[in-house]
């Protein structure tokens, strides 16, 4: 009887985390379609291939190096011992956390679209997923979390809280993308004779499909972040929902019914809620998501028109700025004063969130600086004119039409 | 030990219902693509934005008013007490039932496509999801079910049975759409000089994608309607499958291999089976779904060509007529005579199904009548000519092509 | 208490297998989009309708004949007794295994695309799913597995191991497709005046969507093949992941960054791992998947250019050759020598895998030979020129554009 119950616990945990992993794996199709819909037609094949290649390289790097670095364990045993006494729970935990790590290159991909060379961006992703991301992860969630979190507890009264990665994943990805996009420069024709000239997106249905896939999978991202069935929380699910909905509605108003803003608004809300989704009241989640959407709508405009940074999908305001907002907001709306669960500290949230920004900016600048100086990061003028689909993959997204 | 088992029960229920909610949430992407594929290209952006906005407004209305109205509980406690002793089960139950409520505007959306103004249709959806739907829901499934169901038990011998919402959800949505479509009038050019002129659909692949997403998510709609893991039923899953398959095959024959009928046939079958999916034999389910498809194929033709109602996606025959059929059919094929589980009454099913029709027609006529009289429901002639994408959202579905 | 735990076990198993079934059902949308993206525009509607019709006919045949044949049970009881004492577990088991059986016509569909008549291919699928597939299934997994597996145990030292159907499903489908494609002949214009002239694919985004849907659903295909929650294995999940990733990366290199090869490479890896996914080490899985991708890239070229077989999606190398490779490879990398679980025999794997090839070639040749001789298999020259969409379904995939 006790063995049966233990079996149910083990099986339940493996199923729970496996479902979460599959849902977040599916989100990578969402990243792909979001990019495909937003770029021009001559960069669609490239978007698909980048996302799938980055995913695959991330898997190898995180399996061999990243996960061992973050959690102090490895998989160089035979199959039998990998299964352990718990039906291979450690393996699905790797799978689930890989899905998070692999978001880093998938986020950056949207910023550097249409003019980056293929292998240099793969290389950068490999370095982040294999090395720099797991080091930060180890300090917040992993084997070295004692080091940093004890300092937070001592000086701020509570550890830095990032339930599902507003900071560790999204802010990290978004702030790494900033130096990447700057190192690369704007697409030809984006800013001409001192004037900003928006390059029209190719396909709203694919953009919307990407957003939907991401939003659906996000419930795995957030809910399964408890990593054990016994820790499942209906609050996390409904907070994710409310933040998404807040994001949609605020983006609808601020973005004047523009479909790009509305569909990215859902994502803005979801990014804002990750960190505090287990802490805050659903109405607070609605507001946090709504503010996230405002950050996106105005941040995107500011970035593109004032700062003149050609971040194609706006991944820096979306994942970077809102990720940081999510980390900080958990320290506000998580307080009992606002109906939250408590146990968080505003100063810890602020410090931890800024730490991620600094870490990402430094590592991103070093990696992309070196790549630019050595192997080069940007397509040749000719190749950019042809578009990456023809230049790199030797095929159009719609070959039959091209032939006609 | 007992605490562990109780924990498994709680965790299992939250996971079960959360998965159901996510699957039905995903169905809303299906509603979007089904509409996008069926309308003309100049209404695709509008379809996406309507569905996502309606979803978001529904969430807010149902959270604040609708769910409390239907189930006599509310969420104005702090986060801690929302989690209760059962890991926030009430919250995921809200999420799951929201997914049902939000089907109402999503169903109507397909009928009124291409010529309705944006905010008036949002307003109508808000009234239904926040008010009229939860009142009916409270009588069948909710806090006031005692009132109505006791009458059914007394006079018909059994309560009105609607396991997964053939009547409460689909028939309600479809019969609400009828006054909406009539209040709106046909698209310009749909009936010219007394002749019916079909407006060609834009995109069969998107239509098929929508149908597939809906069909896959439907297994969450039906199976998770037990709302507790202990009530899961393999019969519900296989009946849903068999009804869908019956719908496809009957539509294939009756619709002469037309892809629109075949892909809507799957949905026809699934709508027909919701009410009785926990009661009937799989072969009866096949037949119920098949008859559903016949109702759609011939009902669609009758509506469009004889009644001259420009219900773009045919949502009245699909959700309205078939929903009613599903409610009634549960009272036939649910009987032990046909291999069913029994415990249902034909007269209760007939009465309950007709009650929903009357309720929907009255509330729909009042709401859309008022909207038409006050703020207006229909796009101006100019805007309809430009199409809602340009008129409302100021963008095409394929902006890059438009620029060329 | 014991009843509660038993209830959890039953409910858990039904949920587990139901989720698996839904995930593999969703894969059929993936088959559809993979084909839609790879064929020309005039065959897209046909691809969608074929897949959905084949699915539906398969359901009926497998419910009435196939499953009873394979597992010695049937569903001709009333609903009450179908639920049994275990919440209808047998029904969801039927659903799950149907999803496997229905892969047979879905696989073949991609090979015979663009020039096969509609009903003859439906008929062939019905025969396979209702009759020849279940007979083979009964020998490996089903009621007669004692007969064959005892011989394997006696002469090879271990039974033939095919955990998730590299051989029973994929190799069977792929090797059945070979006689079908040969019986049908190449599309007009594919080989002209002795020269091979590739027909350009229509839509890379749909091809990629199909591949993503298949890859995501595949985790249900493999993980839920344990058929009971107590048998869930994190190793199966991660081996599937690693094989997929190996497939992507090897295809990327061998296929020179071609998006078709990269996205089919993921599938190649997943097909290679099915049989041994519960046995091998993740690094072995990576290699098995990678070799699978090489088999696809070079096998596809060899088939199309040397053998001059117009297998449109390359389903014979993909499912046939790689399925066979997966069966054999489980007998190599499953050995403890390579870090595997052991309990397999190379000779059993080789023999079993070849047996499936012979069985598929014979049954396929007989069925397609008879169809060709009697009712005919190929569209008329006129109809092929018009394309199956217009010829069979009387509609284009993009009707609005066609009208313009």
């Amino acid at each position: 009887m006790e063995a049966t119950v233990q079996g149910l616990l083990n099986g339940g945990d493996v199923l729970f985390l496996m479902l979460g992993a599959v849902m977040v794996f599916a989100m990578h199709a969402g990243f792909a379609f979001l990019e495909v819909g937003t770029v021009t037609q001559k960069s669609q094949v490239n978007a698909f291939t980048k996302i799938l290649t980055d995913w695959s390289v991330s898997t190898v790097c995180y399996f061999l190096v990243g996960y061992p670095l973050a959690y102090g364990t490895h998989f160089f045993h035979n199959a039998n011992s990998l299964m352990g006494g718990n039906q291979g729970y450690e393996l699905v935990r790797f799978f689930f956390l890989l899905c998070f790590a692999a978001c880093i290159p998938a986020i950056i991909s949207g910023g550097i679209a249409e003019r980056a060379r293929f292998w240099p961006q793969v290389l950068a992703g490999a370095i982040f997923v294999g090395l720099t991301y797991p080091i930060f992860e180890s300090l917040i969630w992993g084997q070295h979390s004692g080091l940093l979190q004890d300092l937070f507890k001592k000086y701020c009264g509570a550890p830095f809280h990032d339930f599902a990665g507003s900071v560790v994943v999204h802010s990290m990805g978004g702030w790494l993308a900033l130096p990447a996009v700057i190192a690369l420069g704007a697409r030809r024709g984006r800013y001409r004779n001192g004037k900003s000239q928006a390059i029209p997106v190719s396909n709203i249905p694919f953009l919307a499909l990407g957003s939907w896939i991401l939003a659906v999978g996000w419930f795995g991202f957030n809910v399964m972040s408890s990593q054990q069935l016994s820790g499942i929380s209906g609050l996390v699910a409904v907070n994710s929902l409310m933040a998404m909905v807040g994001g949609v509605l605020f983006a609808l108003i601020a973005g004047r019914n523009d479909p790009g803003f509305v569909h990215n608004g859902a994502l803005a809300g979801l990014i804002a809620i990750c960190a505090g989704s287990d802490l805050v009241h659903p109405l607070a989640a609605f507001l946090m998501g709504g503010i996230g959407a405002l950050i996106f709508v105005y941040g995107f405009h500011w970035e593109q028109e004032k700062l003149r940074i050609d971040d194609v999908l706006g991944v820096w305001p979306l994942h970077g700025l809102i990720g940081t907002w999510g980390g900080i907001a958990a320290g506000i709306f998580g307080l009992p004063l606002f109906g939250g669960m408590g146990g968080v500290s505003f100063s810890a949230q602020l410090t931890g969130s800024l730490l991620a920004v600094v870490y990402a900016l430094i590592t991103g600048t070093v990696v992309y600086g070196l790549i630019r100086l050595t192997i080069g990061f940007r397509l040749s003028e000719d190749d950019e004119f042809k578009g990456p689909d023809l230049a790199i993959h030797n095929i159009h997204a719609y070959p039959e039409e091209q032939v006609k």
Side-chain angles (χ1 to χ4, degrees), chain A residues 215-273:
Chain A
V216 170
W218 221 294
F219 288 90
F221 200 96
N222 286 5
V223 173
M224 275 67 166
S225 277
S226 72
Q227 296 188 20
Q228 289 187 306
L229 181 52
S230 62
I232 194 173
S233 155
L235 185 64
V236 171
V238 168
N239 279 342
S240 305
L241 169 68
M242 295 298 283
M244 177 183 74
V245 155
V248 168
L249 294 177
F250 279 56
L252 179 77
I253 305 299
R256 300 179 184 194
N257 223 328
D258 176 81
F261 281 126
V262 170
H263 285 86
N264 276 291
L267 312 180
L270 285 158
I271 292 165
I273 199 60

Side-chain angles (χ1 to χ4, degrees), chain A residues 1 9 23 27 116 161 169 209 229 244 253 259 273 296 316 328 353 376 378:
Chain A
M1 177 77 168
L9 283 171
M23 289 170 81
M27 287 174 70
H161 185 90
V169 179
L209 178 60
L229 181 52
M244 177 183 74
I253 305 299
I273 199 60
F296 181 63
W316 171 58
I328 297 168
S353 301
R378 184 160 179 148

